[in-house]
Amino acid sequence: MWKLLRQTGCVGIVTEPPPGSDEALRIADSLQLQIKSIIGRALCIRQIDAGSCNGCELEIHALNNPVYNIEGLGIKFVASPRHADLLLVTGPVSRSMEVALRRTYEATPDPKLVVAIGDCGCTGGIFGENYASTGRVANVIPVNVAVPGCPPSPSRILAGILTAISSPRAITSVSDN
Amino acid sequence: MDQLTYWIEQAKPMPGAPGVCQLEVSVETWQQLARDIAADGGRLLALWVDCEPAMTVRVAFLTKSIVLVLALAVAESSAGYPGLADSFPAAARMQRAAADLCGVRADDFDTRPWLRHAAWPTRYFPLAPERQAFEKTEAVSDEYRFVRVTGDGVHEIPVGPVHAGIIEPGHFRFSIVGEKILKLEERLGYVHKGIEQRFTQMQLLVGHRLAARISGDSAVAYSWAYCQALEGMAQVVIPPRAAWLRALALECERIANHLGDLGALGNDAGLSFGLAQFSRLKELWLRAGEAAFAQRYLLDFIVPGGTGMDPSVNGLSGLVTCAGMVGATASEIRTIYDEHAGVRDRFTGAGIVTPELAARLGLTGLAGRASGQSFDLRVDLPCEPYTSLSVTKVWRSNGDVAARVEVRFDELSESLRLVEQIVQQLPDGHHLVDVAAPAAGTMGTGIIEGWRGAVFIALTAAKDGLIGRCHPHDPSWQNWPVLEHAVIGNIVPDFPLINKSFNLSYSGHDL
Ligand code: SF4
């Protein structure tokens, strides 16, 4: 126990400040964002691998490490779409995951946001569309923000998430109250 | 001279990876050799079907310190060929996958589809040369015939394909009594995205980019294996510096993955401290890697003819400094894992694969080395620069989660040592030479010991610089079926821990 505490103490707090949101990443704005701002800052994310090479997942995992410390920002990954505000979807969507992705989207309560991750999620990437791949995420479910990169770095992914939830209009509506 | 040695002498060397020979065989020799190789303790490396120029089923074995590829011509797609699942159980799923993609069946008893879900029509064979144009059908869920376990108090738990976490999709069907697992049946193929067909639409000189994206966590291993095959076919010898830089990248990839897994395993055993510590180390390691290679994950580092860039002196020395720090911290945490009663209790005796079972089922790579299967390509069939690196092989024979954790810890320190050695002895010179696309019809192979195990590529050139066929093989093919055995008799709540201790690839398997 002593060693464990010493190790924890020696490392200390390593969390870095988060990146700002990036308007360049936005694809479509949503009225639902205003409702989002009423829910508050705590945000629940359900991640779905719809056919990725697993590279994007590695960088999404990194968001949970102490350096990015996404939970410290009030964002957490949840196990069920029913508890989620936002879906983080990777991959070209494989045809075998198409139904599962649609069902997950339907099971997510409104208002819901979708962030597509990686070149594959944005465009289908190197895999494109074929008998087994339906290509980009937006071919299957509506997407709010798309983050390119192969894989995008954790800070780009985080910027994408923050872009999705921080619509300028939503913020205005809060101060109007 | 025994029969096997006789046949090996008849085989012709193949371009690419060292020690690979090919032999065209008749149906009788096909079966007989498979039995002889199994009896001699050989291992199955990969099995696939090439549809062109003539329908041919190929199988690669590791036997007598070489890789022997058997090629069996199959007359018509309906004729079938003798399956090898009796001698090599891991062949079963590879044969089913080949039937889904090419339409040629083995005569083994399990003829259920494997990669083909209901997503594409049953008469469409993605790799067959005269395939019909693909017409998109409505997406439906498929009806897969799981093997049922019946009896008093037995019930089923279906899990997935979408899991409760940041994990790749796959389906697990547990038959349980109380908490105890009687049987696990896996259903994979959810992330099948047509990689093998996609290869045939690409130029030989850019195929390495797709290879790197077969399984993102093994990008270096796959892109190296691809380039090894291509360079062999094009008769290009890469500069020594390029080979050493590739090995540096491969060890960096191994270190990143082991750091990630060691943290996740601590977490699954209830010690979130482990996850926090190791995920921080992994982040620092990836950043040191980014400073050296200009990429956190090396998806575009290895290119035909060498490497895409040459790391700066500062970048390299940063890696060595980081390696020293990671090594020291990891050994501190290792003591904490070792002394933590809760962790010990969860790790020890969970998910056991005995060396006998591992040998019979063909368990390979890292998981194999935790169950007494001490094979490591870097030592047993090394390519340059491993011929001059003298890697210390790591293995255990307990075959439980604890053993797989120990192998990771030991391999981590060995790879950190290798990083230092490689940076110190890195030869000067160019990091890249020109490669021209090889002539149509040339075939070659690449085999690289990735962090999970041996990654294999079989590559054939078509005309106009195109890829005729590229079959990638992940060690997860051999290991997924063994996981079904490893969990028998364990309790359901231990499954995530046992599964993580194997950490097999879905994307690399589903293709
Ligand atoms: S964007 Fe790149 S890392 Fe992400 S799934 Fe696609 S190929 Fe893999």
Side-chain angles (χ1 to χ4, degrees), chain B residues 62-118:
Chain B
L62 275 160
T63 179
K64 306 239 185 241
S65 311
I66 65 143
V67 174
L68 180 64
V69 177
L70 303 183
L72 172 70
V74 190
E76 293 160 48
S77 48
S78 56
Y81 60 93
L84 303 179
D86 277 350
S87 312
F88 296 94
R93 287 180 182 174
M94 302 175 206
Q95 293 167 175
R96 288 163 64 192
D100 293 343
L101 298 173
C102 304
V104 203
R105 279 197 184 289
D107 63 4
D108 285 334
F109 75 95
D110 192 348
T111 54
R112 291 175 297 174
W114 182 241
L115 294 181
R116 177 200 298 279
H117 289 208

Side-chain angles (χ1 to χ4, degrees), chain B residues 277-479:
Chain B
Q277 293 289 331
F278 275 115
S279 61
R280 169 183 160 264
L281 288 184
K282 181 174 177 181
E283 181 65 29
L284 297 179
W285 181 249
L286 290 176
R287 287 180 178 200
E290 191 180 15
F293 301 109
Q295 264 195 311
R296 283 164 62 88
Y297 284 95
L298 306 179
L299 276 78
D300 295 304
F301 180 64
I302 294 181
V303 299
T307 61
M309 54 89 71
D310 196 348
S312 68
V313 176
N314 280 347
L316 292 173
S317 68
L319 264 184
V320 173
T321 315
C322 191
M325 185 279 296
V326 167
T329 318
S331 68
E332 290 274 322
I333 309 173
R334 184 176 194 168
T335 331
I336 295 170
Y337 274 26
D338 282 348
E339 290 171 0
H340 194 283
V343 168
R344 287 222 65 84
D345 182 51
R346 293 290 304 280
F347 283 179
T348 313
I352 296 179
V353 182
T354 61
E356 297 71 42
L357 186 67
R360 190 150 54 80
L361 298 179
L363 189 68
T364 185
L366 177 147
R369 289 192 289 275
S371 290
Q373 310 304 301
S374 72
F375 186 82
D376 185 331
L377 273 175
R378 295 175 298 165
V379 178
D380 298 305
L381 207 62
C383 63
E384 221 216 326
Y386 287 103
T387 34
S388 33
L389 278 173
S390 58
V391 177
T392 308
K393 209 193 277 186
V394 172
W395 83 92
R396 291 286 187 285
S397 46
N398 303 358
D400 55 358
V401 173
R404 290 184 282 277
V405 169
E406 282 171 29
V407 169
R408 280 184 173 89
F409 268 118
D410 287 351
E411 289 192 354
L412 174 67
S413 6
E414 178 63 2
S415 292
L416 290 166
R417 185 193 69 74
L418 285 169
V419 163
E420 272 179 51
Q421 189 188 347
I422 293 171
V423 170
Q424 269 164 17
Q425 300 174 6
L426 193 62
D428 289 332
H430 293 297
H431 64 97
L432 190 61
V433 287
D434 279 344
V435 179
T442 336
M443 188 178 179
T445 61
I447 316 175
I448 294 295
E449 187 77 31
W451 69 271
R452 241 185 223 108
V455 156
F456 176 85
I457 295 261
L459 183 65
T460 311
K463 57 179 180 352
D464 302 328
L466 281 164
I467 296 173
R469 173 90 166 97
C470 178
H471 174 72
H473 177 95
D474 196 273
S476 302
W477 278 99
Q478 285 95 312
N479 291 2

Side-chain angles (χ1 to χ4, degrees), chain A residues 49 51-57 90-92 117-122 124-127 147-152, chain B residues 193 209 212-216 299:
Chain A
D49 174 343
S52 99
C53 81
N54 197 32
C56 284
E57 274 62 30
T90 62
I117 295 296
D119 287 353
C120 296
C122 294
I126 196 166
F127 305 103
V147 184
C150 184
Chain B
K193 43 195 170 282
R209 297 198 58 241
R213 286 155 179 82
I214 288 166
S215 177
L299 276 78

